[in-house]
């Protein structure tokens, strides 16, 4: 007969044959969704996700318990309510850790946005800026820890074991970091890179005390602005735990890849039209970089209905090409 307990042990039991990996980890790394979607696996994952909380505890009740700790006993299992460490059982549950991380990340985005929007002082940090600096460093440490624990290069061994094909570890790491969907590891790396460049630029680039808005601040704000956008995009990773939003994000990502193909086709048509229109409308121009700019600039805005008639009306009557057909 079927033994549920034995099945759970087998799918979570490491083996020397598979490099101290268990069947569940191998299924995740090889993207065997049929195995992962099995009822036995999903039930075990749900129990681990809830921890010592009641399985049917809603998300609203968890958030309410975080905001008002007096509701914590209502969330934990009955056998845990009799113990003296109710709070420990509550805060060690993975679902609670996730919502704590979500609330902290929203706070981080608020402080990061505030630090970018307010006035900067020469040679000094404000308290929100110091907090965001420490927060970004902690996120970097957590990302490196997750990368080490996840061991994406292990997919190389799984791929070799299943298909018999060989692959270098560097190539396996590249695929793990930049494969789709999603590309959140890339977003995390770029967000941290632009943030560090913004901090360095703010203090390393020349600052003239006589200037109200020094050059270093200008470049630093641009770098910080890109970093803020990337950190906001990184927050979309938290939506992947939601069964309703996760498929939508995956669908949007795949649609963006398809859109890039259409953008390539549109680019070819735009350049062809831009070169032809510039050659006919302005045949007497001297060589300059402005010609290359107008080849892209004018056709792009004409897509949205900006015809630049005020610029062309005076040119047409002095254009020899225009008089050929008039």
């Amino acid at each position: 007969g079927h033994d549920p307990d034995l099945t759970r042990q087998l799918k979570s039991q490491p083996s020397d044959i598979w490099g101290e990996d268990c069947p569940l980890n191998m299924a995740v790394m090889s993207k065997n969704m049929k195995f992962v979607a099995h009822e036995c696996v999903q039930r075990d994952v749900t129990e681990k996700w809830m921890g010592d909380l009641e399985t049917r505890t809603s998300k609203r009740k968890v958030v309410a318990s975080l905001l008002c700790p007096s509701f914590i006993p209502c969330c934990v299992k009955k056998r845990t309510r009799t113990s003296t460490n109710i709070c420990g059982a509550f805060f060690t549950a993975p679902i609670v850790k996730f919502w704590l991380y979500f609330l902290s990340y929203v706070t981080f985005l608020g402080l990061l946005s505030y630090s970018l929007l307010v006035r900067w002082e020469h040679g000094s940090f404000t308290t929100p800026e110091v907090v965001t600096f420490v927060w970004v460093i902690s996120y970097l440490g957590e990302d490196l820890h997750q990368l080490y624990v996840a061991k994406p290069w292990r997919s190389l061994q799984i791929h070799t074991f299943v298909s018999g094909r060989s692959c270098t570890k560097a190539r396996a790491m590249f695929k793990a970091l930049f494969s789709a969907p999603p590309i959140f590891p890339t977003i995390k790396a770029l967000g941290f890179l632009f943030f560090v460049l913004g901090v360095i630029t703010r203090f390393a680039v020349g600052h003239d005390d006589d200037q109200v808005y020094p050059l270093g601040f200008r470049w630093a704000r641009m770098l910080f602005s890109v970093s803020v956008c990337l950190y906001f995009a990184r927050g979309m990773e938290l939506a992947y735990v939601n069964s309703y939003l996760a498929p939508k994000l995956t669908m949007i990502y795949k649609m963006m890849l398809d859109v890039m193909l259409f953008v390539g086709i549109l680019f070819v048509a735009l350049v062809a039209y831009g070169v032809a229109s510039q050659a006919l409308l302005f045949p007497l121009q001297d060589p300059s970089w402005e010609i290359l700019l107008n080849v892209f600039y004018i056709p792009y805005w004409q897509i949205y209905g900006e015809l630049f008639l005020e610029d062309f009306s005076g040119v047409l009557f002095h254009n020899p090409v225009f008089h050929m057909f008039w």
Side-chain angles (χ1 to χ4, degrees), residues 53-70:
L53 304 187
E54 292 287 350
T55 307
R56 297 184 178 181
T57 303
S58 63
K59 302 173 185 177
R60 296 179 181 178
K61 187 179 292 187
V62 174
V63 176
S65 300
L66 290 174
L67 300 177
C68 184
S70 60

Side-chain angles (χ1 to χ4, degrees), residues 45-55 57-69 71-77 80 85-105 238 241:
V45 171
T46 302
E47 291 181 358
K48 292 181 179 180
W49 174 249
M50 299 303 297
D52 288 328
L53 304 187
E54 292 287 350
T55 307
T57 303
S58 63
K59 302 173 185 177
R60 296 179 181 178
K61 187 179 292 187
V62 174
V63 176
S65 300
L66 290 174
L67 300 177
C68 184
F71 293 135
I72 291 179
C74 301
C75 298
V76 298
K77 296 179 179 179
T80 311
N85 194 16
I86 298 178
C87 292
F90 176 79
F91 286 102
T92 55
I95 185 174
V96 177
K97 293 180 180 180
F98 166 78
W99 282 107
L100 283 174
Y101 181 84
F102 176 81
L103 295 176
S104 66
Y105 195 80
L238 301 176
V241 302

Side-chain angles (χ1 to χ4, degrees), residues 187-228:
I187 294 176
K188 294 177 182 179
L190 291 177
F192 178 76
L193 176 63
F194 280 102
F195 185 87
V196 172
L197 291 177
V199 174
I200 295 175
T201 305
R202 181 180 172 184
F203 290 94
V205 178
H207 295 82
D208 190 354
D209 295 335
D210 296 333
Q211 294 182 353
V212 179
Y213 194 51
L215 178 63
F217 280 9
R218 299 175 191 174
W219 283 101
R221 280 193 180 274
M222 286 189 289
L223 293 171
F224 275 124
S225 298
V226 176
S227 178
V228 167

Side-chain angles (χ1 to χ4, degrees), residues 13-275:
Q13 182 67 34
S15 175
D16 297 336
I17 301 176
W18 300 321
E20 297 299 329
D21 261 329
C22 64
L24 182 57
N25 287 341
M26 293 184 62
V28 173
M29 286 188 290
S30 61
K31 298 182 180 180
N32 190 341
M33 296 296 103
K34 186 176 181 179
F35 181 88
V36 176
H38 194 275
E39 181 181 358
C40 176
V41 177
Q42 288 298 307
R43 184 179 302 175
D44 191 26
V45 171
T46 302
E47 291 181 358
K48 292 181 179 180
W49 174 249
M50 299 303 297
D52 288 328
L53 304 187
E54 292 287 350
T55 307
R56 297 184 178 181
T57 303
S58 63
K59 302 173 185 177
R60 296 179 181 178
K61 187 179 292 187
V62 174
V63 176
S65 300
L66 290 174
L67 300 177
C68 184
S70 60
F71 293 135
I72 291 179
C74 301
C75 298
V76 298
K77 296 179 179 179
K78 294 182 179 180
R79 59 178 176 82
T80 311
R81 297 176 188 175
T82 58
S83 63
T84 57
N85 194 16
I86 298 178
C87 292
F90 176 79
F91 286 102
T92 55
I95 185 174
V96 177
K97 293 180 180 180
F98 166 78
W99 282 107
L100 283 174
Y101 181 84
F102 176 81
L103 295 176
S104 66
Y105 195 80
V106 172
T107 306
F108 164 74
L109 291 178
L111 286 176
L112 187 62
S113 302
Y114 173 81
S115 302
L116 181 63
L117 293 173
V118 298
R119 178 187 177 91
W120 290 348
E121 299 296 335
H122 294 271
S124 63
F125 285 119
T126 60
T127 302
E129 287 180 297
V130 175
V131 174
T132 54
F133 294 163
V134 176
W135 222 321
V136 169
I137 294 174
S138 66
Y139 281 141
L140 176 63
E142 178 62 23
D143 294 337
L144 295 176
H145 176 262
Q146 290 181 2
L147 182 63
Y148 174 77
V149 173
K151 296 181 179 180
W153 53 87
R154 285 287 296 123
S155 60
L156 165 65
Q157 300 180 7
I158 303 299
H159 179 77
T160 304
F161 177 79
V162 175
S163 63
R165 299 178 181 177
S166 61
C167 180
T168 62
K169 181 178 291 188
R171 183 179 177 185
M173 176 69 75
F174 182 84
K175 287 184 177 181
L177 293 179
F178 298 94
S179 59
I183 56 169
F184 290 111
T186 309
I187 294 176
K188 294 177 182 179
L190 291 177
F192 178 76
L193 176 63
F194 280 102
F195 185 87
V196 172
L197 291 177
V199 174
I200 295 175
T201 305
R202 181 180 172 184
F203 290 94
V205 178
H207 295 82
D208 190 354
D209 295 335
D210 296 333
Q211 294 182 353
V212 179
Y213 194 51
L215 178 63
F217 280 9
R218 299 175 191 174
W219 283 101
R221 280 193 180 274
M222 286 189 289
L223 293 171
F224 275 124
S225 298
V226 176
S227 178
V228 167
C229 294
L230 291 171
Y231 274 108
F232 269 96
R234 170 182 173 161
M236 298 302 296
E237 184 182 23
L238 301 176
Y240 266 83
V241 302
N242 189 287
S243 59
Y244 179 78
L245 293 178
K248 303 295 188 297
L249 293 177
T250 304
M251 178 184 65
I252 292 173
Y253 181 84
K254 291 183 177 180
M255 290 176 61
M256 292 298 296
L257 296 179
D258 293 335
V259 168
M260 296 304 297
L261 299 177
F262 291 102
V263 170
I265 298 174
L266 179 63
F267 177 79
V268 173
L270 184 141
V271 173
Y273 171 75
V275 172

